[in-house]
Amino acid sequence: MPDPRPTVPLARAIAVGALAGALSGLFGVGGGILLVPGMVLFLGVEQRLASGTSLAAIIPIATFGVIGYALQGEIDLVAGALLAAGAVVGAPLGARLLQRWPIGRVRVGFAALLVLTAIRLFFPLPDPTERGALTVVIAIELIALGLGSGVLAGLFGVGGGIILVPAQLLLLGIAPAVAKGTSLLVIIPTAISGTIQNLRRDNADLRLAAVLGVSGLLLSFGGSYISTALDPDLANALFALLLLVSSYRMLRQGRPTPR
């Protein structure tokens, strides 16, 4: 049985963390969508441990990304609080599923998540409008949305921004930059909640998480500024291609070696 905690080359870990941090700020995701395949494919980390470690590494990356959006006034605090209320409950539930699911199922599930995310990027989202007052129905929907994103975060080690951003655009009609900033804000308590559960089950490497997280800090901050000026169609196409390639590589690596 392979060692789930192999010796990781420091330079590779820094490179994986830096790339994930840049894309975190750029797309309003926690970075786990790239941290997990990065650890599995380039650092030799076992799938379950990669998910738990990714969630811990997301905390500093998302924090610095939020600062960039907050300085530009691109955060909806009310919507963020409602989303976080559900997410902090969902993350420990997802972490428990991570511990119980077989490695193969976690790998296939994560690969499917990458493919679905890539497909979603090719569908245009509605133009932003001025958000009105929150109704009770929308508030309940936001809490439920946060719960679902929290489960995904705990299970796959992703921040949940891959569903939080488009859902906010659909439910609230806010500007994409505000949706991304709010998503990153929600990811912070979500990742903390899920990481506490993972540590109880010895399913997170905090040393590796620290290297990945610190490596992504500055690039996450810079990515949040670039996001406001980047052509969205080109960015989505490149990001979707990266997700599809990562999904293919992960599934291929998980196949048994022919004799």
Side-chain angles (χ1 to χ4, degrees):
M1 182 176 179
D3 183 3
R5 300 196 182 197
T7 302
V8 175
L10 181 60
R12 286 190 182 184
I14 291 174
V16 169
L19 178 59
L23 292 174
S24 168
L26 196 59
F27 295 101
V29 298
I33 201 74
L34 289 171
L35 279 177
V36 173
M39 279 186 277
V40 171
L41 297 175
F42 300 109
L43 303 183
V45 179
E46 178 261 344
Q47 179 77 37
R48 185 180 287 120
L49 181 62
S51 294
T53 302
S54 169
L55 199 60
I58 283 171
I59 298 172
I61 294 176
T63 299
F64 265 64
V66 163
I67 294 174
Y69 281 99
L71 291 176
Q72 301 175 79
E74 304 286 8
I75 293 179
D76 190 321
L77 292 177
V78 176
L82 292 170
L83 290 167
V88 295
V89 175
L93 298 178
R96 291 176 185 175
L97 286 177
L98 173 64
Q99 191 68 23
R100 295 177 181 177
W101 278 17
I103 292 295
R105 182 183 297 181
V106 176
R107 182 187 295 272
V108 172
F110 188 86
L113 181 66
L114 294 181
V115 172
L116 291 175
T117 303
I119 293 173
R120 200 280 302 165
L121 290 170
F122 288 105
F123 290 90
L125 293 168
D127 294 331
T129 58
E130 184 176 352
R131 179 172 79 77
L134 283 174
T135 65
V136 175
V137 174
I138 292 180
I140 294 175
E141 290 176 343
L142 289 174
I143 294 174
L145 174 64
L147 179 65
S149 71
V151 172
L152 283 180
L155 178 57
F156 295 123
V158 299
I162 52 178
I163 63 171
L164 287 179
V165 172
Q168 286 182 87
L169 296 178
L170 293 171
L171 287 176
L172 303 176
I174 58 180
V178 177
K180 293 175 183 178
T182 304
S183 170
L184 279 178
L185 179 65
V186 174
I187 285 169
I188 297 171
T190 304
I192 293 174
S193 177
T195 297
I196 291 173
Q197 183 68 34
N198 282 325
L199 288 175
R200 290 173 178 171
R201 298 173 181 270
D202 194 27
N203 195 38
D205 187 334
L206 290 185
R207 289 185 179 181
L208 178 56
V211 172
L212 295 169
V214 172
S215 301
L217 291 182
L218 295 180
L219 290 183
S220 174
F221 183 79
S224 65
Y225 274 88
I226 298 173
S227 173
T228 59
L230 190 65
D231 178 65
D233 292 333
L234 176 60
N236 285 347
L238 293 175
F239 193 34
L241 178 61
L242 180 60
L243 295 180
L244 291 174
V245 171
S246 297
S247 174
Y248 171 77
R249 289 283 306 276
M250 289 186 70
L251 288 176
R252 184 178 178 84
Q253 188 183 60
R255 293 172 59 186
T257 304
R259 296 181 179 179

